[in-house]
Amino acid sequence: MSSVVRSQGSCVAISSLSPSSSINRCPHASAASDAATSGTPAWIGKGLTCVCFKRKGAYERICINLTPQQEERLKRLKHRTKVYFDASRPDHQEALRALWSATYPGKELHGLISDQWKEMGWQGRDPSTDFRGAGFISLENLLFFAKTFSTSFQRLLKKQGGKRAAWEYPFAVAGVNITFMIIQMLDLDATKPRTFIRSVFLQMLSENEWAFDLLYCMAFVVMDKQWLERNATYMEFNDILKSTRAQLEGELLMDDVLRIEDMPSYSLLC
């Protein structure tokens, strides 16, 4: 089993390997400058093939090589984040209808532009205008959540449990913001990886191709849990989102978290 060793600050190293991972001593280590700042990633090689981290002290530089499977899954995920919602595309229209059906089983939808959408927490009659912040993947995330963890999804949608604020967060729009937050947290817009969080996630992605969508579901329940614990109101939503990100990052860096299912917050889903 692999174990990621953390110390105070941003210094990172890997102490042992799992059979499924592709983590090797970096052949370029001697070429890197010894004067680099502790914990600063040094990117060696071309493209996504070599991700090197180094730290001062007992641990040597290491190199995390992406397997062909990881590269392919990352490529597909990055493509998903670049797809804009297009209300004229039949498949996008069908996905929106599928979200309605999964959210309100047996309840007829009067149209893709309707006041009914406000019930779900969209800002207006046309939900397509709210997807501009994160694109089509934010709709895919909501649909995945509704179908995979329907109990948690419905509880959050209906604002069940706990003492609720007079000004609650709009459910669907919150979901779009969570998608955007995770994209930023994982540094998916970068051409080359720049954070250890992303490297940890890539290992998870090799184990489960739905790792991003599962992380989204966890983020949603963590956000709602923190919302209730802090008795938050709508004006505090951004602060809650920041603390949600901080909690997820902390869990991703835990020594015993090797798969997305190992994250403590995964147990909140049902």
Side-chain angles (χ1 to χ4, degrees), residues 97-119:
R97 292 190 183 93
L99 176 62
W100 178 269
S101 297
T103 305
Y104 302 109
K107 188 174 183 179
E108 182 183 359
L109 175 65
H110 299 154
L112 294 181
I113 298 179
S114 168
D115 284 331
Q116 289 176 290
W117 289 107
K118 296 179 183 178
E119 301 174 28

PDB file of all heavy atoms in Angstrom, residues 97-119:
ATOM      1  N   ARG A  97     -33.890  17.428 -18.788  1.00  0.00           N
ATOM      2  CA  ARG A  97     -35.143  16.720 -18.479  1.00  0.00           C
ATOM      3  C   ARG A  97     -34.887  15.563 -17.517  1.00  0.00           C
ATOM      4  O   ARG A  97     -35.700  15.291 -16.626  1.00  0.00           O
ATOM      5  CB  ARG A  97     -35.790  16.197 -19.772  1.00  0.00           C
ATOM      6  CG  ARG A  97     -36.318  17.279 -20.702  1.00  0.00           C
ATOM      7  CD  ARG A  97     -37.151  16.669 -21.824  1.00  0.00           C
ATOM      8  NE  ARG A  97     -37.611  17.677 -22.777  1.00  0.00           N
ATOM      9  CZ  ARG A  97     -36.970  18.000 -23.888  1.00  0.00           C
ATOM     10  NH1 ARG A  97     -35.834  17.355 -24.204  1.00  0.00           N
ATOM     11  NH2 ARG A  97     -37.437  18.928 -24.694  1.00  0.00           N
ATOM     12  N   ALA A  98     -33.762  14.876 -17.709  1.00  0.00           N
ATOM     13  CA  ALA A  98     -33.415  13.759 -16.827  1.00  0.00           C
ATOM     14  C   ALA A  98     -33.185  14.251 -15.398  1.00  0.00           C
ATOM     15  O   ALA A  98     -33.560  13.572 -14.432  1.00  0.00           O
ATOM     16  CB  ALA A  98     -32.164  13.055 -17.348  1.00  0.00           C
ATOM     17  N   LEU A  99     -32.586  15.438 -15.257  1.00  0.00           N
ATOM     18  CA  LEU A  99     -32.390  16.009 -13.931  1.00  0.00           C
ATOM     19  C   LEU A  99     -33.727  16.292 -13.270  1.00  0.00           C
ATOM     20  O   LEU A  99     -33.913  16.011 -12.082  1.00  0.00           O
ATOM     21  CB  LEU A  99     -31.564  17.293 -14.019  1.00  0.00           C
ATOM     22  CG  LEU A  99     -31.371  18.044 -12.694  1.00  0.00           C
ATOM     23  CD1 LEU A  99     -30.610  17.184 -11.688  1.00  0.00           C
ATOM     24  CD2 LEU A  99     -30.643  19.368 -12.928  1.00  0.00           C
ATOM     25  N   TRP A 100     -34.661  16.829 -14.023  1.00  0.00           N
ATOM     26  CA  TRP A 100     -35.982  17.096 -13.462  1.00  0.00           C
ATOM     27  C   TRP A 100     -36.654  15.797 -13.004  1.00  0.00           C
ATOM     28  O   TRP A 100     -37.204  15.719 -11.906  1.00  0.00           O
ATOM     29  CB  TRP A 100     -36.877  17.812 -14.477  1.00  0.00           C
ATOM     30  CG  TRP A 100     -38.257  18.055 -13.947  1.00  0.00           C
ATOM     31  CD1 TRP A 100     -39.354  17.234 -14.059  1.00  0.00           C
ATOM     32  CD2 TRP A 100     -38.686  19.165 -13.159  1.00  0.00           C
ATOM     33  NE1 TRP A 100     -40.434  17.761 -13.412  1.00  0.00           N
ATOM     34  CE2 TRP A 100     -40.052  18.949 -12.845  1.00  0.00           C
ATOM     35  CE3 TRP A 100     -38.049  20.313 -12.695  1.00  0.00           C
ATOM     36  CZ2 TRP A 100     -40.783  19.853 -12.078  1.00  0.00           C
ATOM     37  CZ3 TRP A 100     -38.778  21.215 -11.931  1.00  0.00           C
ATOM     38  CH2 TRP A 100     -40.129  20.976 -11.633  1.00  0.00           C
ATOM     39  N   SER A 101     -36.591  14.774 -13.858  1.00  0.00           N
ATOM     40  CA  SER A 101     -37.233  13.497 -13.536  1.00  0.00           C
ATOM     41  C   SER A 101     -36.608  12.849 -12.308  1.00  0.00           C
ATOM     42  O   SER A 101     -37.316  12.255 -11.478  1.00  0.00           O
ATOM     43  CB  SER A 101     -37.134  12.543 -14.732  1.00  0.00           C
ATOM     44  OG  SER A 101     -37.839  13.067 -15.849  1.00  0.00           O
ATOM     45  N   ALA A 102     -35.271  12.953 -12.188  1.00  0.00           N
ATOM     46  CA  ALA A 102     -34.598  12.364 -11.036  1.00  0.00           C
ATOM     47  C   ALA A 102     -34.876  13.154  -9.766  1.00  0.00           C
ATOM     48  O   ALA A 102     -34.887  12.587  -8.668  1.00  0.00           O
ATOM     49  CB  ALA A 102     -33.091  12.306 -11.296  1.00  0.00           C
ATOM     50  N   THR A 103     -35.101  14.445  -9.920  1.00  0.00           N
ATOM     51  CA  THR A 103     -35.349  15.310  -8.768  1.00  0.00           C
ATOM     52  C   THR A 103     -36.793  15.235  -8.304  1.00  0.00           C
ATOM     53  O   THR A 103     -37.075  15.182  -7.103  1.00  0.00           O
ATOM     54  CB  THR A 103     -34.993  16.770  -9.105  1.00  0.00           C
ATOM     55  OG1 THR A 103     -33.640  16.833  -9.578  1.00  0.00           O
ATOM     56  CG2 THR A 103     -35.136  17.674  -7.886  1.00  0.00           C
ATOM     57  N   TYR A 104     -37.704  15.218  -9.256  1.00  0.00           N
ATOM     58  CA  TYR A 104     -39.140  15.187  -8.943  1.00  0.00           C
ATOM     59  C   TYR A 104     -39.807  14.027  -9.686  1.00  0.00           C
ATOM     60  O   TYR A 104     -40.509  14.235 -10.683  1.00  0.00           O
ATOM     61  CB  TYR A 104     -39.802  16.509  -9.349  1.00  0.00           C
ATOM     62  CG  TYR A 104     -39.198  17.728  -8.696  1.00  0.00           C
ATOM     63  CD1 TYR A 104     -38.435  18.634  -9.441  1.00  0.00           C
ATOM     64  CD2 TYR A 104     -39.382  17.992  -7.338  1.00  0.00           C
ATOM     65  CE1 TYR A 104     -37.880  19.762  -8.847  1.00  0.00           C
ATOM     66  CE2 TYR A 104     -38.839  19.112  -6.737  1.00  0.00           C
ATOM     67  CZ  TYR A 104     -38.084  19.991  -7.501  1.00  0.00           C
ATOM     68  OH  TYR A 104     -37.534  21.102  -6.913  1.00  0.00           O
ATOM     69  N   PRO A 105     -39.576  12.800  -9.242  1.00  0.00           N
ATOM     70  CA  PRO A 105     -40.152  11.624  -9.920  1.00  0.00           C
ATOM     71  C   PRO A 105     -41.675  11.724 -10.007  1.00  0.00           C
ATOM     72  O   PRO A 105     -42.342  12.021  -9.026  1.00  0.00           O
ATOM     73  CB  PRO A 105     -39.730  10.461  -9.019  1.00  0.00           C
ATOM     74  CG  PRO A 105     -38.535  10.966  -8.278  1.00  0.00           C
ATOM     75  CD  PRO A 105     -38.782  12.427  -8.061  1.00  0.00           C
ATOM     76  N   GLY A 106     -42.185  11.495 -11.190  1.00  0.00           N
ATOM     77  CA  GLY A 106     -43.629  11.491 -11.380  1.00  0.00           C
ATOM     78  C   GLY A 106     -44.256  12.865 -11.549  1.00  0.00           C
ATOM     79  O   GLY A 106     -45.470  12.963 -11.783  1.00  0.00           O
ATOM     80  N   LYS A 107     -43.454  13.917 -11.423  1.00  0.00           N
ATOM     81  CA  LYS A 107     -43.989  15.272 -11.576  1.00  0.00           C
ATOM     82  C   LYS A 107     -43.689  15.783 -12.976  1.00  0.00           C
ATOM     83  O   LYS A 107     -42.532  15.826 -13.400  1.00  0.00           O
ATOM     84  CB  LYS A 107     -43.372  16.203 -10.529  1.00  0.00           C
ATOM     85  CG  LYS A 107     -44.008  17.586 -10.486  1.00  0.00           C
ATOM     86  CD  LYS A 107     -43.446  18.389  -9.321  1.00  0.00           C
ATOM     87  CE  LYS A 107     -44.120  19.757  -9.221  1.00  0.00           C
ATOM     88  NZ  LYS A 107     -43.598  20.537  -8.057  1.00  0.00           N
ATOM     89  N   GLU A 108     -44.721  16.175 -13.681  1.00  0.00           N
ATOM     90  CA  GLU A 108     -44.562  16.606 -15.070  1.00  0.00           C
ATOM     91  C   GLU A 108     -43.849  17.957 -15.170  1.00  0.00           C
ATOM     92  O   GLU A 108     -44.123  18.883 -14.406  1.00  0.00           O
ATOM     93  CB  GLU A 108     -45.934  16.714 -15.745  1.00  0.00           C
ATOM     94  CG  GLU A 108     -45.869  17.122 -17.213  1.00  0.00           C
ATOM     95  CD  GLU A 108     -47.233  17.293 -17.842  1.00  0.00           C
ATOM     96  OE1 GLU A 108     -48.250  17.069 -17.134  1.00  0.00           O
ATOM     97  OE2 GLU A 108     -47.300  17.657 -19.031  1.00  0.00           O
ATOM     98  N   LEU A 109     -42.921  18.025 -16.112  1.00  0.00           N
ATOM     99  CA  LEU A 109     -42.230  19.278 -16.402  1.00  0.00           C
ATOM    100  C   LEU A 109     -42.942  19.967 -17.557  1.00  0.00           C
ATOM    101  O   LEU A 109     -43.149  19.380 -18.611  1.00  0.00           O
ATOM    102  CB  LEU A 109     -40.765  19.006 -16.778  1.00  0.00           C
ATOM    103  CG  LEU A 109     -39.951  20.222 -17.223  1.00  0.00           C
ATOM    104  CD1 LEU A 109     -39.799  21.221 -16.080  1.00  0.00           C
ATOM    105  CD2 LEU A 109     -38.573  19.782 -17.740  1.00  0.00           C
ATOM    106  N   HIS A 110     -43.303  21.216 -17.375  1.00  0.00           N
ATOM    107  CA  HIS A 110     -44.066  21.939 -18.391  1.00  0.00           C
ATOM    108  C   HIS A 110     -43.212  22.473 -19.526  1.00  0.00           C
ATOM    109  O   HIS A 110     -43.727  22.782 -20.597  1.00  0.00           O
ATOM    110  CB  HIS A 110     -44.840  23.088 -17.745  1.00  0.00           C
ATOM    111  CG  HIS A 110     -45.832  22.626 -16.727  1.00  0.00           C
ATOM    112  ND1 HIS A 110     -46.258  23.407 -15.678  1.00  0.00           N
ATOM    113  CD2 HIS A 110     -46.472  21.428 -16.584  1.00  0.00           C
ATOM    114  CE1 HIS A 110     -47.122  22.732 -14.934  1.00  0.00           C
ATOM    115  NE2 HIS A 110     -47.265  21.523 -15.463  1.00  0.00           N
ATOM    116  N   GLY A 111     -41.899  22.575 -19.302  1.00  0.00           N
ATOM    117  CA  GLY A 111     -41.027  23.044 -20.372  1.00  0.00           C
ATOM    118  C   GLY A 111     -39.622  23.320 -19.855  1.00  0.00           C
ATOM    119  O   GLY A 111     -39.405  23.463 -18.651  1.00  0.00           O
ATOM    120  N   LEU A 112     -38.667  23.369 -20.767  1.00  0.00           N
ATOM    121  CA  LEU A 112     -37.291  23.642 -20.380  1.00  0.00           C
ATOM    122  C   LEU A 112     -37.121  25.083 -19.900  1.00  0.00           C
ATOM    123  O   LEU A 112     -36.129  25.400 -19.247  1.00  0.00           O
ATOM    124  CB  LEU A 112     -36.341  23.361 -21.551  1.00  0.00           C
ATOM    125  CG  LEU A 112     -36.245  21.897 -21.985  1.00  0.00           C
ATOM    126  CD1 LEU A 112     -35.258  21.741 -23.136  1.00  0.00           C
ATOM    127  CD2 LEU A 112     -35.837  21.012 -20.813  1.00  0.00           C
ATOM    128  N   ILE A 113     -38.064  25.918 -20.242  1.00  0.00           N
ATOM    129  CA  ILE A 113     -38.137  27.263 -19.670  1.00  0.00           C
ATOM    130  C   ILE A 113     -39.473  27.360 -18.951  1.00  0.00           C
ATOM    131  O   ILE A 113     -40.526  27.366 -19.570  1.00  0.00           O
ATOM    132  CB  ILE A 113     -38.025  28.356 -20.755  1.00  0.00           C
ATOM    133  CG1 ILE A 113     -36.672  28.255 -21.472  1.00  0.00           C
ATOM    134  CG2 ILE A 113     -38.185  29.737 -20.136  1.00  0.00           C
ATOM    135  CD1 ILE A 113     -36.487  29.277 -22.582  1.00  0.00           C
ATOM    136  N   SER A 114     -39.410  27.370 -17.636  1.00  0.00           N
ATOM    137  CA  SER A 114     -40.630  27.317 -16.833  1.00  0.00           C
ATOM    138  C   SER A 114     -40.335  27.811 -15.423  1.00  0.00           C
ATOM    139  O   SER A 114     -39.223  27.667 -14.916  1.00  0.00           O
ATOM    140  CB  SER A 114     -41.161  25.876 -16.782  1.00  0.00           C
ATOM    141  OG  SER A 114     -42.164  25.719 -15.801  1.00  0.00           O
ATOM    142  N   ASP A 115     -41.339  28.375 -14.787  1.00  0.00           N
ATOM    143  CA  ASP A 115     -41.189  28.808 -13.393  1.00  0.00           C
ATOM    144  C   ASP A 115     -40.939  27.624 -12.462  1.00  0.00           C
ATOM    145  O   ASP A 115     -40.464  27.815 -11.331  1.00  0.00           O
ATOM    146  CB  ASP A 115     -42.458  29.549 -12.929  1.00  0.00           C
ATOM    147  CG  ASP A 115     -42.528  30.963 -13.479  1.00  0.00           C
ATOM    148  OD1 ASP A 115     -41.453  31.550 -13.724  1.00  0.00           O
ATOM    149  OD2 ASP A 115     -43.641  31.479 -13.677  1.00  0.00           O
ATOM    150  N   GLN A 116     -41.226  26.415 -12.937  1.00  0.00           N
ATOM    151  CA  GLN A 116     -41.006  25.230 -12.108  1.00  0.00           C
ATOM    152  C   GLN A 116     -39.548  25.071 -11.683  1.00  0.00           C
ATOM    153  O   GLN A 116     -39.265  24.540 -10.611  1.00  0.00           O
ATOM    154  CB  GLN A 116     -41.439  23.969 -12.872  1.00  0.00           C
ATOM    155  CG  GLN A 116     -42.931  23.811 -13.056  1.00  0.00           C
ATOM    156  CD  GLN A 116     -43.245  22.594 -13.900  1.00  0.00           C
ATOM    157  OE1 GLN A 116     -42.985  22.572 -15.113  1.00  0.00           O
ATOM    158  NE2 GLN A 116     -43.791  21.564 -13.263  1.00  0.00           N
ATOM    159  N   TRP A 117     -38.646  25.521 -12.529  1.00  0.00           N
ATOM    160  CA  TRP A 117     -37.227  25.352 -12.229  1.00  0.00           C
ATOM    161  C   TRP A 117     -36.800  26.098 -10.973  1.00  0.00           C
ATOM    162  O   TRP A 117     -35.823  25.722 -10.321  1.00  0.00           O
ATOM    163  CB  TRP A 117     -36.386  25.798 -13.423  1.00  0.00           C
ATOM    164  CG  TRP A 117     -36.485  24.870 -14.594  1.00  0.00           C
ATOM    165  CD1 TRP A 117     -37.157  25.097 -15.761  1.00  0.00           C
ATOM    166  CD2 TRP A 117     -35.913  23.555 -14.706  1.00  0.00           C
ATOM    167  NE1 TRP A 117     -37.039  24.011 -16.605  1.00  0.00           N
ATOM    168  CE2 TRP A 117     -36.277  23.054 -15.984  1.00  0.00           C
ATOM    169  CE3 TRP A 117     -35.136  22.772 -13.870  1.00  0.00           C
ATOM    170  CZ2 TRP A 117     -35.882  21.789 -16.418  1.00  0.00           C
ATOM    171  CZ3 TRP A 117     -34.730  21.513 -14.312  1.00  0.00           C
ATOM    172  CH2 TRP A 117     -35.102  21.036 -15.561  1.00  0.00           C
ATOM    173  N   LYS A 118     -37.534  27.145 -10.629  1.00  0.00           N
ATOM    174  CA  LYS A 118     -37.193  27.903  -9.428  1.00  0.00           C
ATOM    175  C   LYS A 118     -37.328  27.042  -8.173  1.00  0.00           C
ATOM    176  O   LYS A 118     -36.661  27.294  -7.167  1.00  0.00           O
ATOM    177  CB  LYS A 118     -38.083  29.140  -9.317  1.00  0.00           C
ATOM    178  CG  LYS A 118     -37.894  30.147 -10.448  1.00  0.00           C
ATOM    179  CD  LYS A 118     -38.833  31.335 -10.269  1.00  0.00           C
ATOM    180  CE  LYS A 118     -38.721  32.311 -11.428  1.00  0.00           C
ATOM    181  NZ  LYS A 118     -39.666  33.454 -11.283  1.00  0.00           N
ATOM    182  N   GLU A 119     -38.189  26.029  -8.235  1.00  0.00           N
ATOM    183  CA  GLU A 119     -38.369  25.127  -7.093  1.00  0.00           C
ATOM    184  C   GLU A 119     -37.069  24.397  -6.749  1.00  0.00           C
ATOM    185  O   GLU A 119     -36.815  24.059  -5.592  1.00  0.00           O
ATOM    186  CB  GLU A 119     -39.454  24.085  -7.399  1.00  0.00           C
ATOM    187  CG  GLU A 119     -40.823  24.657  -7.717  1.00  0.00           C
ATOM    188  CD  GLU A 119     -41.793  23.557  -8.141  1.00  0.00           C
ATOM    189  OE1 GLU A 119     -41.595  22.393  -7.697  1.00  0.00           O
ATOM    190  OE2 GLU A 119     -42.721  23.847  -8.910  1.00  0.00           O
TER     191      GLU A 119
END
